[in-house]
Amino acid sequence: MAKLYVQAVPPPDLNKNTEWFMYPGVWTTYILILFFSWLVVLSVFGCSPGMAWTVVNLSHFAITYHFFHWKKGTPFADDQGMYNQLTWWEQMDNGKQLTRNRKFLTVVPVVLIRVKIVDLVTIHEYIEAQIGYLIASHTTDYKHPMLFLNTIAVSVLVIAKLPNMHKVRILGINAEY
């Protein structure tokens, strides 16, 4: 018997809310935004470099936690509510865990590592690990109040990014009933 219907392959799910993070140059832009934010904080507030990194780290924490791990859904109506129950982090890479993008965004808050001279062969790998906790902690000489704030911020962000936390709402906070 002849096939009466066309066998169509569904298009790949392109989530407009998260697909922008797959574009080339996004990682570099992300790091540059953090670096220039540090320069702005350093210039405007006239604080020490360590305090400026702490301000950038805590601002990065507040912004990324809100937009990546708290806010649900998408700003686009054409997805017909498919993502209304998911945060941006849960939508990214169609929910696949441990992708390059997820690893990068997990490393960023952890490895704000102190700047040192490296050879040009490893500069790309080193740049990926320039932003976050370690730079802020090292440049404040591991002083108690700043170290505590940086540690809390990075802990919350890293725990929220773990694969075991995918679609988990601790104590029902931010859950849909």
Side-chain angles (χ1 to χ4, degrees):
M1 181 175 221
K3 292 185 178 181
L4 301 176
Y5 299 101
V6 175
Q7 298 293 326
V9 176
D13 182 26
L14 294 178
N15 183 351
K16 289 181 184 178
N17 196 32
T18 59
E19 73 174 328
W20 63 270
F21 206 77
M22 296 181 199
Y23 295 152
V26 170
W27 289 11
T28 305
T29 305
Y30 192 87
I31 289 171
L32 287 174
I33 288 170
L34 289 171
F35 177 73
F36 285 116
S37 299
W38 174 72
L39 287 177
V40 167
V41 170
L42 194 61
S43 301
V44 171
F45 297 114
C47 55
S48 69
M51 183 59 75
W53 274 122
T54 298
V55 169
V56 169
N57 190 35
L58 295 177
S59 300
H60 177 261
F61 159 72
I63 291 167
T64 58
Y65 187 79
H66 176 74
F67 287 107
F68 291 3
H69 302 289
W70 187 265
K71 194 169 175 63
K72 293 182 184 177
T74 67
F76 308 104
D78 59 348
D79 64 22
Q80 299 179 356
M82 185 179 354
Y83 303 108
N84 284 353
Q85 304 300 316
L86 299 176
T87 63
W88 187 88
W89 183 260
E90 294 164 345
Q91 296 173 36
M92 189 174 61
D93 297 329
N94 293 322
K96 292 179 188 169
Q97 300 298 311
L98 302 175
T99 60
R100 292 183 74 220
N101 288 333
R102 287 179 184 259
K103 289 176 186 177
F104 171 76
L105 288 173
T106 301
V107 166
V108 165
V110 173
V111 189
L112 271 164
I113 203 166
R114 68 176 169 240
V115 180
K116 62 180 181 180
I117 298 173
V118 294
D119 58 332
L120 294 176
V121 176
T122 61
I123 193 74
H124 177 70
E125 296 168 356
Y126 188 75
I127 287 175
E128 291 178 8
Q130 288 299 307
I131 314 305
Y133 171 70
L134 294 176
I135 282 179
S137 297
H138 177 74
T139 54
T140 56
D141 295 325
Y142 300 95
K143 291 181 182 167
H144 178 62
M146 295 306 129
L147 179 63
F148 178 74
L149 292 173
N150 288 320
T151 303
I152 294 297
V154 77
S155 299
V156 169
L157 282 180
V158 169
I159 289 171
K161 288 174 171 53
L162 293 174
N164 293 343
M165 297 302 290
H166 188 69
K167 297 183 182 178
V168 172
R169 307 290 184 255
I170 296 176
L171 301 175
I173 299 172
N174 200 21
E176 299 291 328
Y177 294 104

